[in-house]
Amino acid sequence: MNMANETEALWHALFDHCESERSGTFFLACADNKSGQIVLHNGQILGLTYAGETGDQAVKALNLASALRFSFTADLIFPLQETLLPEQAQALLLQLGIADYQNSQPETVEQPKVSAPRRSVRIYRGRVVQG
């Protein structure tokens, strides 16, 4: 798999998890021993770090990574030094191409969602605590 396909596979997995409103952490690693995390809560990006960079700078570094590998651990909220505001997270997804990805997916019949009020997130030792 070449560099572009590895990074594209990561973005597609990220988009899928965001649309599924999943919570957890993507753990990232590449051939030159750099690592990072993308943390999600209910499908929203809380933060993205890679090779000592955060946000947009981490994305630029990831796009240059070779032999990128990633895994997702559900319900583990990895502690981050810097978090994104919801607007920043949405802008980052748009920059990565989530709109094009959504438009390329086959149409599915959506079941109506039952809207539940969102609570504030409390994290204790890397796990979401009900508040």
Side-chain angles (χ1 to χ4, degrees), residues 74-96:
D75 300 321
L76 173 66
I77 305 297
F78 192 84
L80 296 165
Q81 288 184 336
E82 185 176 318
T83 58
L84 298 172
L85 296 172
E87 303 81 37
Q88 293 171 313
Q90 189 60 35
L92 187 62
L93 285 172
L94 290 171
Q95 174 189 337
L96 294 174

Side-chain angles (χ1 to χ4, degrees), residues 9-99:
L10 170 62
W11 302 145
H12 286 192
L14 175 63
F15 300 157
D16 286 342
H17 284 63
C18 287
E19 288 184 350
S20 299
E21 297 184 358
R22 298 199 57 199
S23 296
T25 301
F26 279 96
F27 291 95
L28 317 168
C30 71
D32 59 357
N33 209 26
K34 293 179 182 170
S35 63
Q37 299 81 31
I38 303 173
V39 181
L40 302 177
H41 179 69
N42 292 335
Q44 299 294 313
I45 299 176
L46 293 181
L48 184 151
T49 63
Y50 180 74
E53 302 289 345
T54 60
D56 291 342
Q57 295 301 314
V59 168
K60 289 176 185 174
L62 274 166
N63 284 328
L64 299 173
S66 61
L68 179 65
R69 299 178 318 278
F70 62 90
S71 64
F72 183 78
T73 303
D75 300 321
L76 173 66
I77 305 297
F78 192 84
L80 296 165
Q81 288 184 336
E82 185 176 318
T83 58
L84 298 172
L85 296 172
E87 303 81 37
Q88 293 171 313
Q90 189 60 35
L92 187 62
L93 285 172
L94 290 171
Q95 174 189 337
L96 294 174
I98 193 168

